[in-house]
Amino acid sequence: MTRYAVAVDVVVFDLETTGLSPERDGIVEIGALRVVDGRIDETQRYETLVRPTTAAGDPMLIPWHAERVHGISNEMVRHAPTIDQVLPEFLDFVGGSAVVAHNIGFDGGFMRANAARLGLMWQPAAEHCTVVLSRRAFPKERAHNLTVLADRLGLNFAPGGRHRSFGDVQVTAQAYVRLLELLQRREVSPVASR
């Protein structure tokens, strides 16, 4: 095992939402892939649309400005399961693994808020962020959003995949693996020392 053990077994995930507030907005899509021993396992995937609801469980509409970003409409989620149906299943998929996201503060915040509302626990083994890894790998660069990072690493989104959970997860997983390899070659720790 290398000293870059963060790559051993992780679930890379991405959410699409109705807005930016974990307390006021809802999740409309979850996508995830498992990385095992530093390799992406496309057979271990999780992907679902989610019909958004308020904290009280009432239906929530997807605002036009959110739909403009991810392209997920109210019609698309009309018959989708709600977060109270989806989240226990997703937590089972994650199991005891560490998780990775591009901007983990955003996605992790939504997971914590929704789990708390439902009396569940969001307790991944660890949370890793590809934005942080990108900053460590490319310290002189200012931009680290997923589109820029994909370009920097020579990665491509599937047609129609950008700003959809599974399309973003595929690129985030590839970026995660490549960033760890790059940092290892440079002998730079993937995590900041404290």
Side-chain angles (χ1 to χ4, degrees):
M1 183 184 297
T2 69
R3 66 189 184 108
Y4 291 88
V6 289
V8 170
D9 182 12
V10 300
V11 171
V12 182
F13 78 105
D14 181 76
L15 306 177
E16 299 303 333
T17 66
T18 62
L20 302 177
S21 171
E23 289 76 31
R24 292 187 307 276
D25 292 305
I27 295 170
V28 297
E29 189 175 40
I30 302 175
L33 270 173
R34 190 172 294 279
V35 175
V36 179
D37 294 328
R39 292 195 176 103
I40 300 163
D41 184 349
E42 290 272 351
T43 67
Q44 294 191 54
R45 62 192 284 170
Y46 185 90
E47 182 179 15
T48 187
L49 288 169
V50 181
R51 184 167 22 104
T53 55
T54 66
D58 297 322
M60 176 188 293
L61 293 176
I62 300 171
W64 66 270
H65 54 84
E67 182 180 341
R68 192 175 71 192
V69 172
H70 49 57
I72 300 169
S73 68
N74 290 300
E75 182 61 31
M76 290 169 67
V77 299
R78 178 186 293 180
H79 300 292
T82 56
I83 196 66
D84 61 318
Q85 298 166 303
V86 168
L87 194 54
E89 186 178 272
F90 181 65
L91 294 176
D92 283 344
F93 178 80
V94 172
S97 299
V99 294
V100 176
H102 196 77
N103 190 5
I104 191 70
F106 178 83
D107 298 272
F110 268 87
M111 295 308 292
R112 272 186 291 286
N114 280 274
R117 266 196 297 276
L118 296 171
L120 302 170
M121 297 297 290
W122 172 247
Q123 291 183 307
E127 293 184 347
H128 302 290
C129 184
T130 49
V131 174
V132 172
L133 292 174
S134 178
R135 288 183 179 138
R136 293 191 65 72
F138 304 106
K140 295 180 181 174
E141 300 293 340
R142 298 186 75 192
H144 298 277
N145 67 60
L146 190 55
T147 301
V148 169
L149 180 58
D151 287 344
R152 197 172 284 145
L153 295 173
L155 304 174
N156 296 306
F157 292 91
R162 182 66 177 114
H163 292 299
R164 289 299 303 267
S165 288
F166 199 74
D168 285 355
V169 158
Q170 288 176 308
V171 170
T172 303
Q174 293 171 45
Y176 176 71
V177 170
R178 288 198 188 176
L179 286 166
L180 288 179
E181 290 169 351
L182 180 63
L183 290 168
Q184 186 172 20
R185 281 196 308 269
R186 293 182 188 167
E187 296 185 357
V188 174
S189 173
V191 292
S193 55
R194 294 182 183 216

